[in-house]
Amino acid sequence: MLSDHSKGENFNIYLLIKSAENRTTSKGSPYIRLTLADRSGEIQANKWDASADDVKNFTAGKVVYLNATQDEYQSKPQLRIQEIRLANDEEPSDPSLYQISAPVSKKDLQNQINDLLFQITNPTWNRLVRNILNKYGDRYYEYPAAKKMHHAFRGGLAYHSLSIAKLALKISELYPQVDKSLLLAGALIHDIGKTVELSGPVGTEYTTEGQLLGHIVIGDEILVQAADELGFDLASEDMLIIRHLMISHHNKLDFGSPVVPKDLEAYILSKLDDLDAHIQMISSALQKTKPGNFSERIFGADNQPFYRTKEKPLSSDDENGDSPANRQGRLLQ
Amino acid sequence: MLSDHSKGENFNIYLLIKSAENRTTSKGSPYIRLTLADRSGEIQANKWDASADDVKNFTAGKVVYLNATQDEYQSKPQLRIQEIRLANDEEPSDPSLYQISAPVSKKDLQNQINDLLFQITNPTWNRLVRNILNKYGDRYYEYPAAKKMHHAFRGGLAYHSLSIAKLALKISELYPQVDKSLLLAGALIHDIGKTVELSGPVGTEYTTEGQLLGHIVIGDEILVQAADELGFDLASEDMLIIRHLMISHHNKLDFGSPVVPKDLEAYILSKLDDLDAHIQMISSALQKTKPGNFSERIFGADNQPFYRTKEKPLSSDDENGDSPANRQGRLLQ
Amino acid sequence: MLSDHSKGENFNIYLLIKSAENRTTSKGSPYIRLTLADRSGEIQANKWDASADDVKNFTAGKVVYLNATQDEYQSKPQLRIQEIRLANDEEPSDPSLYQISAPVSKKDLQNQINDLLFQITNPTWNRLVRNILNKYGDRYYEYPAAKKMHHAFRGGLAYHSLSIAKLALKISELYPQVDKSLLLAGALIHDIGKTVELSGPVGTEYTTEGQLLGHIVIGDEILVQAADELGFDLASEDMLIIRHLMISHHNKLDFGSPVVPKDLEAYILSKLDDLDAHIQMISSALQKTKPGNFSERIFGADNQPFYRTKEKPLSSDDENGDSPANRQGRLLQ
Amino acid sequence: MLSDHSKGENFNIYLLIKSAENRTTSKGSPYIRLTLADRSGEIQANKWDASADDVKNFTAGKVVYLNATQDEYQSKPQLRIQEIRLANDEEPSDPSLYQISAPVSKKDLQNQINDLLFQITNPTWNRLVRNILNKYGDRYYEYPAAKKMHHAFRGGLAYHSLSIAKLALKISELYPQVDKSLLLAGALIHDIGKTVELSGPVGTEYTTEGQLLGHIVIGDEILVQAADELGFDLASEDMLIIRHLMISHHNKLDFGSPVVPKDLEAYILSKLDDLDAHIQMISSALQKTKPGNFSERIFGADNQPFYRTKEKPLSSDDENGDSPANRQGRLLQ
Amino acid sequence: MLSDHSKGENFNIYLLIKSAENRTTSKGSPYIRLTLADRSGEIQANKWDASADDVKNFTAGKVVYLNATQDEYQSKPQLRIQEIRLANDEEPSDPSLYQISAPVSKKDLQNQINDLLFQITNPTWNRLVRNILNKYGDRYYEYPAAKKMHHAFRGGLAYHSLSIAKLALKISELYPQVDKSLLLAGALIHDIGKTVELSGPVGTEYTTEGQLLGHIVIGDEILVQAADELGFDLASEDMLIIRHLMISHHNKLDFGSPVVPKDLEAYILSKLDDLDAHIQMISSALQKTKPGNFSERIFGADNQPFYRTKEKPLSSDDENGDSPANRQGRLLQ
Amino acid sequence: MLSDHSKGENFNIYLLIKSAENRTTSKGSPYIRLTLADRSGEIQANKWDASADDVKNFTAGKVVYLNATQDEYQSKPQLRIQEIRLANDEEPSDPSLYQISAPVSKKDLQNQINDLLFQITNPTWNRLVRNILNKYGDRYYEYPAAKKMHHAFRGGLAYHSLSIAKLALKISELYPQVDKSLLLAGALIHDIGKTVELSGPVGTEYTTEGQLLGHIVIGDEILVQAADELGFDLASEDMLIIRHLMISHHNKLDFGSPVVPKDLEAYILSKLDDLDAHIQMISSALQKTKPGNFSERIFGADNQPFYRTKEKPLSSDDENGDSPANRQGRLLQ
C-alpha cells in the first residue's frame, strides 16, 4: 500500500492511474503527468521522456507496476519513477482493487436499505421508493455522493443515504411528532438525481444534463415519472410533500433549492443531510492528521482546519477499549 | 369612477367588494371593514353597527351601491357610508366590470401570441408550446402574472409573456447569434407554472402546491409531461435546453432558480423577464404620481421611489404630439 | 381554560396577569392594558376607568378572577371585562398553575440528567459538569432556554439541554469516532450562561450582564471558575476543548460565537443545538395550525410558514394508532 | 494566422508583441517572456539566453518575424522559438494589423451614430451629446469599452454605445411611455468617462485619474463642463436627469454608482448596458468553445461556464440558412 | 421648558409647531395632529374639532401659547389641549427661540473655522476651501448635517465639520506622515454638497437635486466649478486628490461612494467622519437615558441600544469634579 | 543592508534565516529554500545540492554569511548563492540585530506606558491594568500585534497599544463626555490575549490555544483571573464594562466579537483600534511605493492599492521642512 512507504524509500508497487496528462517541458521534451492511487491514498509522478507507446499505454483507468523512489516536490510527496509498465493479467490488474469504496459492502448496503423499506408504512411513499430503487439501483449502489466534497467514493451515494436514514430513525424515536415514513423515504431517495447528474464512480464528472438541470430538478423529474407509472395523483398531498422534501433538501435558495423547507420533515431531512456530509468530511480529514495537530482546511466545512486531539492512554471506563482519537485514525479504513 | 371624486364630496357609486373583514370596536360593537374597488382604484370603508344580514350580504366578490362621503383616516382616503346595499340584476352587478385587466383584450392577446408561434421554427419547441397552451390556455389568458408585484391584473400572465416575446424578437434582430425559436418559446411559457401556483384572477393567493413547489418546478413538470405526451426524448438537447430556460429564468439561486443561466438564450430570457416586470411596476407607480414628484417607494424595484418629470409643453419635434411625461400619466388606463 | 371559550361567549375564569401597562385614552381617561394567560394560551384585555386601587392591585404576577366576554380587536381575540378582582387564598391563586412548563416534570428532568452524567467517562469533564450543575442547578431547572424564540417556558433550559444530550447519545452510537463524553458534557452545559444572561422564568428579560457579555462569554467564565475550584490546568487539552465547545456552539461568527467549530464534537454540538431548537419552534407553531394549512411565519426559522398535513384516518400499520398530523396537534400539551 | 496552426507544427509567422517581461531562470540565465498575438488569438513564448540587444528590441508594440514550433506548457499552448527578429518596413510591420477591432469600421460607427443623433429631439440633450462627441470623438471611436471584461478591443467603446442605442430605439417602440430622446442620449454618452479612465486602445491600463475618480464621476464632470460651455442651467430638470442617468448607470451602489436609478429611463439604460455587455462576453466565450461543450468560466458572468449547443443540420425553415450554433462560431470574426 | 413638566401636570407654555397634519376621526370629525417643540424636546397633541380658522392658523413654523395637561398615548407622552392660540408679537414668537442649534454659536463656529484655514498651508487647497466657504457660507453655518441621523440641528453641518477638523489636527500630530493641509481641507468641505442636497434648517427634506444626484456628486461639482473659477488645472495632482477625498468619504461603495479611499488622508477622513457622527448620535441617545439603563436602539449605530453607566459619587481624582456619567447627561444642553 | 543592493550586483552580507524548507528538484536533487532577512527587508534564495550538514545547519533563527548575486525569479528578487556559512561568534550573529522592531525602543515604550497609567484615575481599572502588565509584561513588550497584517514586528503589540492610548487621550480632550480612565485602560490591554494566542516575536504562529479560543476570549479570561486575584466583584459595573470593552473591540460579530459595542467608550475603542492598524498598514505599504504610484494591494485594507503622492519641493510653510510624501518614505525606518 502507498501509505506503507515514506520519503526517500525505494519500492515496487502496483497502482491505478487516476489521470494522465501529456505535457512538454519548457525545453520541449514530452512527459506524462500521472496521478496514481490505491486504497490508502494517491500520489503524483512524472514519466519523463515519454514515447508514443507510453502515451498510448499509460492512461486513466489502467493498472501499472512501478519501481520508484518517494520524493517531495513543492512540499507534496511525489514518486520518482525508475521503472513503469502495465500490469498483466496474472497480476492484480483489476482497477476496482485500487479504488476507495464505502466502508460497507454493496451487499450489506442493499440488505440494510431493503430492511429499512419495511418501516416506510405509508403505501404511496413505500411504492415510490421501491419503484425508483428498482430502476436506478444499479447506479445507486455504485455512484459516489459527490465529485469531490464528501462521500466521493464508490458506493458513497447509497452509504450516505443509509447513514441519513439511520439518523432519521433515531430522530423519529426522540420526536414522536415526526412522520417516520416520510423522513425515511426522503432520506433514501433525496439524492437519486445524482445518478444522472454525475458520470459514474470512476473519474467522476458532471454530465451535460447535470450541469443544465442539477440533481434536484432531475430528482423531481424521477418522482414525477414514478408517480405516472404507479398511477399516483400529482395533486395528492402525499405526492406534493415528498416532492417538497426532494426540492427543498439543500435548505436554502443559495444552495440550489428552488424552495426552502416548509414542512417539519423537510426541514429535518435537510439538516441531517448536511450533518452526515460534514461528519464524513471532517472525519476523513482527521484521519490524515497527526494527533495534537490541525487538519488541512476543509473546503466544504467553511474552509476551516479541524483539530485532532492527542492520543490518550486507553481508559478502563471506555467500553470498547479505544479512545476517540485512536478511533478517528482508524475510521473508514 | 372612484378617481372622479375627492375629499369632502358626497356621491353615489357602484363598487366591487374586494375584501370584507368582520370586526368589533374596542367597546364591543360589530362592524365590517370593507375594501371597495372599481377600475380607477380602491378605497377603505367601515359599515358600522353591522347586522347579521350585513355580515352575510357584504362579502368579497359582491357589487354594492353606496351613498357615501369621502374622508381621510391616517392620511389615507376612506369612505364614510351613508347608505349601502347589494346591486340588483338591473344594475351593473357583474364583478368583471370593476376589475383591472391587461390593456389589451383577451382576443388580441390570443391573436398576437398565435401569430408569434409561427416564428418558433424549431419543431420540438413549436409543438411543446402549442401542446402546453392548448392545455393551460384557459388559465394562461385569465391569470395575473403575480399576486401583487407586477402585472397583478386579469390577463397579466399572457400580457407579460407577450411583452417579453416582442422584446425577444427585437433582440434576435440585433444579435444574429441568438436562437430566435428558443428565446421565443421560452418567453411564451416560462411562467406557465403560475397557472398552478396562483389561485386565479380574483383574490389571488398562493395555492398549497404553489407554496410547496413554486412555479419554476411546476413549470418543469409541465414540460416533462408535455414531452411524454408528444413522445420527445428527455435526454435530447432540445428538451434539456428548454427545461434549462424554464428553471434558470429567475437568474440567481437567491431568486429561486435551482440553476443559473448557462446558455446565452437562458441568460437573455432571465434579463428580459426582469426588465419587462420593472418597466410595468415603475410605469404603474408613475401613473399615480404628480409630475415633478417622486412616486411611493416601489417594493419590487429595490424599494426606491421613482421621479416623474414635469409636464412639458408639447414640442413640435415630438411626432405624436405628446411628451413622455404626459404619456406616462395615460399609460395603461 | 382560555382555549375552551370562543368569540361572543361570556364566562368566568381565573387568569394570571403576565403584564399590566397603565395608559390613558386619547380623551384622557386612565385604563390598564392587561395581558392575561393560563397554560392554554394568552389574551389581551382593557380595564377601563382604572382607579388608583386598580393600578396598585392589577400588576404582573397576580392571579385574577374575571367575568368577561370574548371579543375581537384588530383581528385578535380580546376579553371585554364585566368584572375583575384579585383571586383570594381559597382560590387557585398560585401563579405557577398558569405558566407553561417543560412537558417533563422538574423531578424527571433531574433524574434523566443525573443518569446521563455516568456516561461522561472522562473524569475532567464529568467533574466540571457536576460542579457547575451543583452551583447553578436551581436556575438550570427553572429557567427558559430563551426569552421568546424557542423553549421559552419554565424548565426550558434543562429540557432543551436534555433533548440535545439524547441526540448526542444517538449520534455517538451511529458514528463511533465521536467522543461521547465530550459531546454529552457539551450538550448539558453549553447554555449554562443563560442562567445569568436571563432574568428568570417569569417576565423573562435580558440582564445588564446578559446584554454586555452574552451567555457565551458568561458560560466560558463559569468554566474557567469551575476549573480554578477543581484545580484543573486551563492549558490542558481537556479544558481547551470543552471551552472551545462552549464558545463555538453558535456555529458562526455572525451568530455570536467568537470562534467557529474546529473540532468534530464542537461542530456536531452546534448542529444538534440548532436542530432541537428548530424542531421545538416548528412543532409549537404547527400545534396552533389547522390540518391542511400553513402556520404563521416562524421568525426563528428564516421567517417561513410551515405546512401541517391533513388529518389522516388512523392506519393499522401505525403502531401507536396515531397519525403524525394528529400527534403534532397534541404535542407539548 | 495563429489559429491555423496546431500542436507539434513548425511554422513561420509575423506576430505583434503584446507584452515582454525580462526574467532570469532559477539558475541565473536571462530570458524574455513574450506574449505574442494576431487577430486570431494570442500565445506565450520564451526567448532564452536573451542578449542586451534582445532586451532592447523585443518590447511591447513591436512586430516580429518568427520561426517556431507549437508546444504546450502547463496545459496551455506555447511557442518554442527557433528564430526571432524584428519585422522590417517591407514586411507587415504595422501593429494595427494584428489587433482585434470592433466588427464594424470606424467610418460605419461614426455614420450610424451621427444618424441616431437626429432622433434625440430634445434640444438640450442633443446639443450636449454633440458637444461631447465633438470634444472626445477621437478617443470615443478608438478606445475599448473596458480593460478586459467586455468589448476589450479597439473601437469597443463606440461599438458598445451604438449597440445600446439600437436597443434603446427598440425599447422606445415597444414602451411608448419611454422618453426616446433621453434614453438615446444616455446610451451614447454614459461611458464617455472611459476616455479618461483608460489609457488607450493598446496595452490598456487604468490612469491615475481613472483610479482616483472612476469613469462615472469623470463622466459627470464632462457633463457639467459641457453645460457650462453651452450656457445650460445645472438646476434645470433636463440637466439633472441626464446627470442622473450618467451616475446611476451601474444600477447598484455596490457596482460603483453613487445613486441608484430613480427614473424610468435611468433604470432601463442601466439594464441595457448590462445586457449588451453580457451578450458580448458570452458570445465571445462561445466562439472559442466546441459545439456540445461548455466554455471556460466567464469572470464577468458570475464566473459561470456557458453551453454551446451542438451543430445542427441546416433547416430549411431557417431563412438565412444558418443555425444559431453555426452563427455563434462565426460571430465577430 | 417641556422637559420641566411630567405626566398628569397642567401647565401654560409657548411652543413651536414643527408639523401640523389635518385629519378626520373615524367618525368623520376634523382635527389637527400637531407636533410641538422647544429646545428641551418635542411632544404630540391633537386639536380636536378643528375649525377652518384653526386649520389656517396652526401650521408648521408658527409659535403657539397653550394651556394643556400632559398625558400618555401608546406609551408616549402627549398633550391634552385645554386652550391654544397663536403667540402675539409681545410674546416670545420668534421660531428660532425654540429650535435646537449647535452647542456653539454661529459666531464661534465661524471664528474657529477661520482660524483653522491658516493651517491649510497648501495654496491650492487653501484657496479652494476659501472660495467654497465664501459662496456657500450662508448655508454652511445654518444647515443641519443630516435630516435625522446625526447633527440634525441648526448649524450641525459646520459644527460636525469643525469637530472632524479638530480630530484631523490631533491625528496629524500623532502621525507625522499625514498631510495636515489635505486632511483639514477635506474635513471642512467634505459635506458641502449637503447645502444643495437638503432643503434647509427647518423641516429638513431632501431636494429633487439631492435625491437624483446626492451630496457626494454635488460636492464634486462644487469642487470642479471652484477650480474653474480659480483657474486650477483639473488634471493636477492637487485637484485629483482633493476630489478623491470628496467622493470617497463614505468609505464604501455600499454607502454611496463611487470609489473607495485609495489615499491615506482619504481613508482617515472617512473614518473620522464616521467616528464623529457616531459619538454625536450615541451621546445624544445617552442624554435621554437614565443612568444604569440602556438607551433606545440607535438606528445609525447598527440599531443597537447603548448603556449609560450609573451615576458615581464625585471622585477627588477627577479634576473637573464631574463623573463621565454625570457629564453625559449634561452634554449638548 | 539588503536594500542597498540591486539586481545583477554581487556582494557579501550577513542575514538571518527566517524560514528554511527542505525540498527536492523535480529531477530528485535535494535543496533548501531559504527566506533571508535583515531590517531593510527579506529575500528568497535556494541552497542547491544541499548536504545533510547543510540541512542541519541552515535552519530558521540562524544568522548566515553569504556571497551572492541578486537575481530575479518570477518577477521577484532572489539571491543566487555563491557561498554560504553560519556566522561565528566574532561576527554579528545575534538574530535580534536582523529583526524589524517597533520604531520606539522597549525602554521608551515602557516609560510612556507607565506614565499613562497615572491617567487611569478609576482605581479598579488602574489596578487591573497594573496587575495584568506585571504578569504579562515580558511578552507584552516583545510580541508583535499580529502574525502578518499590521504591526507584525517585535514590540508591535505594545507599540500599537500605546498609539491607541495616545489617540484615546486626544479623543477625551475633544469629547468631555468620554470616560478617559476607561478608554485608556481598554486601549492598553485590549489585545493582551495575543500574548497567548501567538507563539512569540520570531516565526510567529497561532498557538493551539489561540486557534481554539482566540485572543478575545483569552483576554476575557485574563481579566476574570485578575479580578479574582484582586478581590474585585465580577458583578460590579466596573468589571462588566471593562470586560465589555475587551470582548467587543472587534466591533462586529463577523470580525469575531461575541457582542458588539453597546457602550460609548467600547465603540470608540473599537474604532481607534481599527484606525491605528490601518494607518500602520497603509503607511508601511506606501514606504515601499515610488512617489506618483500606487502601492501593492493591501490585504487588510479591503485589498485596495493606495496612492503615494509625488515628491514636492519643500515648501517654506512646512515647519519641519519636509513634505508628507517625503515623510511617508522615511517613516518607521
Side-chain angles (χ1 to χ4, degrees), chain C residues 2-127:
Chain C
L2 259 181
S3 61
D4 299 333
H5 303 285
S6 49
K7 199 175 148 186
E9 202 182 329
N10 179 282
F11 52 93
N12 300 330
I13 193 165
Y14 293 97
L15 292 170
L16 173 69
I17 300 177
K18 285 194 68 172
S19 71
E21 214 179 321
N22 298 305
R23 297 185 172 181
T24 326
T25 64
S26 56
K27 294 289 173 70
S29 156
Y31 69 99
I32 314 177
R33 179 136 192 79
L34 298 162
T35 307
L36 303 164
D38 63 15
R39 290 186 178 173
S40 71
E42 62 184 56
I43 198 164
Q44 304 285 333
N46 293 324
K47 172 74 194 78
W48 300 111
D49 303 311
S51 67
D53 268 6
D54 290 345
V55 168
K56 207 168 61 190
N57 284 332
F58 302 137
T59 56
K62 297 284 179 58
V63 173
V64 289
Y65 166 89
L66 298 108
N67 174 272
T69 306
Q70 188 166 331
D71 249 5
E72 211 172 76
Y73 183 61
Q74 293 180 346
S75 314
K76 296 212 166 167
Q78 172 170 295
L79 286 188
R80 194 142 37 91
I81 299 176
Q82 268 86 33
E83 185 195 340
I84 178 167
R85 64 165 172 77
L86 288 184
N88 59 42
D89 291 355
E90 275 94 78
E91 294 173 313
S93 59
D94 176 356
S96 72
L97 296 170
Y98 302 85
Q99 289 182 300
I100 303 176
S101 305
V104 177
S105 75
K106 182 171 168 181
K107 192 90 213 145
D108 277 0
L109 285 173
Q110 285 172 321
N111 288 340
Q112 291 190 49
I113 286 175
N114 285 335
D115 285 356
L116 283 175
L117 292 179
F118 291 97
Q119 304 211 38
I120 306 179
T121 54
N122 173 302
T124 306
W125 300 326
N126 188 297
R127 293 182 59 199

Side-chain angles (χ1 to χ4, degrees), chain E residues 164-183:
Chain E
I164 300 175
K166 288 178 180 174
L167 282 168
L169 281 187
K170 301 289 190 187
I171 291 283
S172 307
E173 280 173 38
L174 290 179
Y175 302 93
Q177 68 268 42
V178 168
D179 188 324
K180 187 172 65 179
S181 278
L182 179 57
L183 193 57

Side-chain angles (χ1 to χ4, degrees), chain A residues 288-309:
Chain A
K288 299 177 203 147
T289 306
K290 296 201 193 103
N293 283 276
F294 282 86
S295 72
E296 291 197 328
R297 290 175 177 278
I298 304 176
F299 181 73
D302 273 329
N303 210 26
Q304 291 301 318
F306 274 71
Y307 184 67
R308 180 165 171 186
T309 50

Side-chain angles (χ1 to χ4, degrees), chain F residues 21-56:
Chain F
E21 214 180 322
N22 297 307
R23 296 186 172 181
T24 328
T25 63
S26 56
K27 294 290 171 70
S29 157
Y31 70 98
I32 313 177
R33 180 132 191 83
L34 298 162
T35 307
L36 303 164
D38 64 15
R39 290 186 176 172
S40 71
E42 63 183 55
I43 197 165
Q44 303 285 333
N46 293 323
K47 171 74 193 77
W48 301 111
D49 304 310
S51 66
D53 268 7
D54 289 346
V55 168
K56 210 168 59 191

